[in-house]
Amino acid sequence: MFQSAQVGYDHYYRMLSDRVRMEAFRSAIRRSVRPGDTVVDLGAGTGILGIWALQAGARRVHAIEQTEAIELARQIARANGVEDRIEFIRANSLEVELPEPADLLVSETLGSFALDENLLRFLPDARDRLLKPGGRLLPGAIRMFVAPAEAPQSYAKVAFWRDRPGGVDFSPAFDLFAGKIMVEGIRPAQLLSAPAELEPVDLAGWQGDGYQWRGYLQMRRAGTVHGMAGWFEAELAGETLSTAPDRPATHWKQAFFPFREPIRVVRGDVLDWAVEVGGLGPSSDHTRIDYRYRCTQLANEAQAGKPGRNAPCPCGSGRKYKKCCGA
């Protein structure tokens, strides 16, 4: 009998076939688990992190997953002879209570921009309620980076909705997608400035479920900014998992924040970019990511007359032109 699937599992295929991801987490779990540990697998999915923890010497695993994938995880654990050492909990982790605090919390609830699976809502809560004082975390910290990108092929996926496909006005779709994060492969040569590092997230001490950052990025060559590329580094028991454009490719690729309109820039132009991340709801796996930007147009300003050395910089930084874009 043919039975239609209730949940799509393509994303699990992409994760499990990502050798960079798999080797990084497996090695980190081997280094982190101590004999007899109790482990929480937060957002367990297929349960592979918990199985690795048991193979590394853990005594028991509490696998928390709020989708029906938890039943697949149970079957996989049974096939591997470890079902009796894993407690399978189908629930939102915010509502879970454990019979004992855990020694180690492992989680791979990372989006292409690290925080876009509401990591800051669920992980700190689990850390504070489900771990022993001084319990260990994988990952332990997250660093994020951004740079303006010349990415016409990625931007074309947004501009498509403005081109009246099928002769129909799809402008509401353009308005929606022109402000939504995309998952794209960005090459180092597409970056128009040096990367900027955002405020790092120390998951052992982070408080609150929101995140904000604002910075200024100066162009090192002329080109067209189609959006902002973003990526992350995760600290895994002393090793670093990176999704940077110049590192081996992963299923995360890079985050791409498309601009509504491409911006022509010259060397020395400064982009002012700000991002705010927050949950869509108290129990949602998804996040609200808002970003805003503005950019100097030195080519146009040269025609109109360059600002004086002591005049405020046109990029809006609040500094004098000679100390900022005119440096």
Side-chain angles (χ1 to χ4, degrees):
M1 178 183 293
F2 176 81
Q3 184 175 4
S4 63
Q6 298 299 309
V7 173
Y9 289 95
D10 283 352
H11 59 297
Y12 290 124
Y13 165 76
R14 291 192 295 272
M15 289 190 290
L16 294 172
S17 61
D18 180 344
R19 292 185 179 182
V20 175
R21 168 194 182 267
M22 296 286 278
E23 285 305 313
F25 272 90
R26 188 174 193 176
S27 296
I29 288 172
R30 285 173 175 167
R31 292 192 300 271
S32 300
V33 172
R34 300 168 184 169
D37 272 353
T38 298
V39 177
V40 170
D41 183 359
L42 182 66
T46 61
I48 190 168
L49 302 187
I51 292 174
W52 282 343
L54 292 173
Q55 292 174 345
R59 174 176 60 86
R60 187 153 186 82
V61 170
H62 302 283
I64 305 172
E65 170 62 49
Q66 63 178 335
T67 74
E68 64 186 62
I70 195 73
E71 296 306 321
L72 177 61
R74 188 191 305 275
Q75 295 174 34
I76 292 170
R78 184 180 304 142
N80 285 272
V82 294
E83 181 185 14
D84 61 330
R85 291 194 284 157
I86 302 179
E87 179 188 13
F88 297 93
I89 306 171
R90 183 175 181 180
N92 185 300
S93 65
L94 302 177
E95 302 166 354
V96 170
E97 300 287 344
L98 297 181
E100 56 182 341
D103 302 285
L104 174 68
L105 186 153
V106 298
S107 182
E108 199 277 81
T109 51
L110 296 167
S112 291
F113 196 54
L115 306 183
D116 39 309
E117 292 186 10
N118 215 357
L119 174 76
L120 295 183
R121 177 70 175 115
F122 294 101
L123 195 146
D125 171 79
R127 174 200 67 202
D128 293 344
R129 296 191 305 104
L130 307 181
L131 273 184
K132 295 177 180 177
R136 307 180 306 280
L137 292 169
L138 281 179
I142 300 290
R143 301 169 65 202
M144 294 169 291
F145 304 83
V146 292
E150 190 165 37
Q153 292 182 329
S154 298
Y155 181 76
K157 298 175 184 179
V158 176
F160 167 84
W161 299 102
R162 194 167 45 188
D163 294 338
R164 301 181 65 86
V168 175
D169 182 355
F170 276 89
S171 56
F174 173 78
D175 292 338
L176 176 65
F177 298 134
K180 278 192 173 293
I181 188 173
M182 302 166 63
V183 178
E184 296 289 314
I186 304 295
R187 301 185 306 276
Q190 293 178 264
L191 304 181
L192 291 165
S193 84
E197 182 177 354
L198 282 64
E199 179 187 357
V201 176
D202 178 2
L203 293 169
W206 187 269
Q207 298 295 328
D209 56 5
Y211 182 92
Q212 297 181 40
W213 182 84
R214 181 181 181 182
Y216 302 91
L217 300 98
Q218 189 167 39
M219 307 300 158
R220 55 189 176 187
R221 67 172 176 87
T224 300
V225 183
H226 293 96
M228 189 73 80
W231 59 93
F232 69 86
E233 293 180 355
E235 186 276 314
L236 298 174
E239 299 293 332
T240 299
L241 168 64
S242 174
T243 65
D246 61 350
R247 298 296 297 273
T250 70
H251 79 283
W252 287 287
K253 299 183 179 179
Q254 284 77 44
F256 181 68
F257 302 83
F259 287 2
R260 187 177 181 87
E261 300 293 340
I263 303 173
R264 290 287 301 169
V265 296
V266 297
R267 179 182 174 90
D269 269 320
V270 174
L271 177 69
D272 172 3
W273 192 79
V275 64
E276 182 176 343
V277 182
L280 281 177
S283 300
S284 175
D285 284 345
H286 303 292
T287 53
R288 170 187 53 79
I289 300 181
D290 297 323
Y291 57 98
R292 62 186 187 277
Y293 52 90
R294 58 179 178 171
C295 189
T296 60
Q297 299 279 267
L298 293 179
N300 295 336
E301 291 161 10
Q303 297 174 1
K306 189 167 67 172
R309 299 279 290 164
N310 290 311
C313 188
C315 75
S317 66
R319 295 180 290 174
K320 294 180 180 180
Y321 178 71
K322 67 180 180 181
K323 295 288 188 180
C324 191
C325 298

